[in-house]
Amino acid sequence: MQASLLTNLLLPLALGVIMLGLGMGLALDDFRRVARYPRAVLVGLALQTLLLPWVAFGLALGFGLEPELAVGLMLLAASPGGATANIYSHLARGDVALNITLTAINSLLCLLTLPVILDLALEHFLGAGRYVPPPVAKVVEVAVIILLPVAAGMAVRHFAPGFAVASVRPLRLLSVLVLALLVAVAVAQSWQVLLSSVAVVGLACLLFNLASLGAGYATPLALRLPRPQAIAISMEIGIHNGTLAIFIALNVLGSAAMAIPAAVYSLLMFFTAGAFAVWLNRERAHPAPARAPT
């Protein structure tokens, strides 16, 4: 997982393709939905930025992860929702409009929250003396890779809506295939490191994923938000942008080990989110019987 054609070109390109497809599903009205769903948006953002980093921190300490793996798990927790979250939300009958709004806001908000969380994680697990701040150019590069494709996708949707609608599905399929290839190559290149830590990291990532999905679903319901919004929030915070985390770990931090949690999580989340969507649909089709009046 040294700097190469994979990490310098293909990985940013894959992220750009995902963001382009996301942009084709966005319009300016989607950002105005914040005013329509203020409570749901605030709950989703609070879970993403305030709860998940602490859950990842607790798991890293509880499992005694190696410092670089612990930082990688924290980096994953600080990453925004993935572009496939709205697909799973749609399959589970969630509020897809809320998903799109949260994804857009989270992608922008992470430019502020991710460096802060990552800085604290590096200082705690690796020590302040070993931490080298990432170059400003690299931080700008991450922002450009996120923002420009989204803006381009929105422009395509505005000026050529027919083309945008026809292109969204192929772009999403292409992005999933490219992501699967990149994750497989990344895992293969760090196979020895992965063999020595996959058992601990795999269980930590699985528990983090289940905690994210569970908290994202249960908390909105406890706050009496509609069920479709609870589903949307659950998928949004349960499906992280693993590509962004891998990109930062390799290109900004220069650590293959820090990319392992994101690679493992990216594989697990597709199966857990799919199973969760099936369970939600079965629960919707067969609701619990109402209690008889006393």
Side-chain angles (χ1 to χ4, degrees), residues 98-239:
L98 176 59
N99 270 106
I100 294 173
T101 302
L102 282 172
T103 300
I105 296 176
N106 266 329
S107 297
L108 296 174
L109 187 61
C110 81
L111 299 178
L112 299 175
T113 59
L114 191 149
V116 173
I117 295 172
L118 185 57
D119 185 13
L120 294 174
L122 285 165
E123 184 173 351
H124 179 84
F125 290 106
L126 292 175
R130 297 180 57 184
Y131 170 57
V132 178
V136 175
K138 284 296 183 183
V139 176
V140 174
E141 182 180 341
V142 172
V144 168
I145 288 174
I146 293 175
L147 297 180
L148 286 186
V150 169
M154 293 177 64
V156 170
R157 173 175 173 170
H158 179 75
F159 293 105
F163 175 78
V165 171
S167 301
V168 167
R169 186 173 180 180
L171 278 174
R172 283 176 177 169
L173 177 60
L174 176 62
S175 67
V176 171
L177 294 176
V178 172
L179 273 176
L181 176 62
L182 289 173
V183 169
V185 172
V187 171
Q189 288 186 340
S190 59
W191 185 246
Q192 294 301 322
V193 179
L194 186 62
L195 283 178
S196 63
S197 57
V198 66
V200 175
V201 174
L203 184 55
C205 288
L206 177 60
L207 290 177
F208 179 60
N209 178 241
L210 295 178
S212 300
L213 290 171
Y217 183 64
T219 303
L221 290 181
L223 295 175
R224 300 187 181 279
L225 290 177
R227 186 171 182 270
Q229 292 187 348
I231 294 173
I233 293 172
S234 175
M235 293 300 182
E236 184 64 30
I237 71 171
I239 300 178

Side-chain angles (χ1 to χ4, degrees), residues 68 168 278:
E68 288 191 329
V168 167
V278 171

Side-chain angles (χ1 to χ4, degrees), residues 11-161:
L11 196 56
L13 181 61
L15 181 59
V17 169
I18 294 175
M19 292 297 111
L20 178 67
L22 173 62
M24 287 188 185
L26 287 172
L28 291 178
D29 286 342
D30 295 316
F31 294 94
R32 300 188 183 106
R33 287 194 179 97
V34 177
R36 293 176 55 191
Y37 309 126
R39 194 177 175 202
V41 170
L42 289 176
V43 170
L45 294 178
L47 291 173
Q48 170 71 47
T49 59
L50 300 178
L51 176 65
L52 295 192
W54 285 107
V55 173
F57 182 73
L59 288 172
L61 293 180
F63 282 94
L65 297 182
E66 294 293 328
E68 288 191 329
L69 296 176
V71 172
L73 189 62
M74 294 294 295
L75 171 60
L76 177 67
S79 300
T84 54
N86 49 7
I87 300 176
Y88 281 101
S89 182
H90 173 72
L91 294 175
R93 306 295 192 272
D95 188 338
V96 180
L98 176 59
N99 270 106
I100 294 173
T101 302
L102 282 172
T103 300
I105 296 176
N106 266 329
S107 297
L108 296 174
L109 187 61
C110 81
L111 299 178
L112 299 175
T113 59
L114 191 149
V116 173
I117 295 172
L118 185 57
D119 185 13
L120 294 174
L122 285 165
E123 184 173 351
H124 179 84
F125 290 106
L126 292 175
R130 297 180 57 184
Y131 170 57
V132 178
V136 175
K138 284 296 183 183
V139 176
V140 174
E141 182 180 341
V142 172
V144 168
I145 288 174
I146 293 175
L147 297 180
L148 286 186
V150 169
M154 293 177 64
V156 170
R157 173 175 173 170
H158 179 75
F159 293 105

